[in-house]
Amino acid sequence: MNRKKNAQLVLGLILVGFCLMFAPAAFAQDHAAGDAAAATSSGLAKMGGAIGAGLAVLGCGLGIGRVGGSATEAMARQPEAAGQINTAMIVTAAMIEGATLFAVVVGLLAAL
């Protein structure tokens, strides 16, 4: 039950991050560059991008931690398959890192 609540919390935070990241497009209006509404909209975009990048790194850490823990447990159960398990673990961790790098770049581009 605790994992379900944690998953709901993380999904909620991701949703808030995406909403903040795309807020400037939703509130786009014809205002002067020095207007307060434009400054607020830009601030929301930066905050959304930062939250999105932070959540991506958090998700990556959790994902790689689960992969590493499961692989270690599998190697302990079947030591003769440790080489194959280690290879699969490294490939999976690399794929998680690649997706995280993409998400962080997108979040930081939204913040700039």
Side-chain angles (χ1 to χ4, degrees):
M1 188 66 179
N2 193 16
R3 278 191 178 177
K4 185 176 181 181
K5 287 196 183 271
N6 287 345
Q8 288 175 345
L9 177 66
V10 169
L11 287 175
L13 289 173
I14 290 171
L15 180 65
V16 168
F18 275 114
C19 288
L20 289 174
M21 190 167 60
F22 295 117
F27 296 116
Q29 297 176 2
D30 252 353
H31 289 293
D35 197 6
T40 303
S41 177
S42 174
L44 288 175
K46 289 180 180 180
M47 188 166 64
I51 288 173
L55 287 174
V57 171
L58 180 70
C60 174
L62 291 173
I64 290 179
R66 287 194 67 182
V67 167
S70 297
T72 303
E73 188 176 317
M75 284 185 237
R77 288 183 182 171
Q78 291 184 329
E80 65 276 1
Q84 293 175 336
I85 294 169
N86 194 22
T87 303
M89 177 188 66
I90 290 172
V91 169
T92 305
M95 294 174 91
I96 293 171
E97 285 286 334
T100 302
L101 180 64
F102 177 73
V104 168
V105 168
V106 168
L108 292 178
L109 284 177
L112 297 177

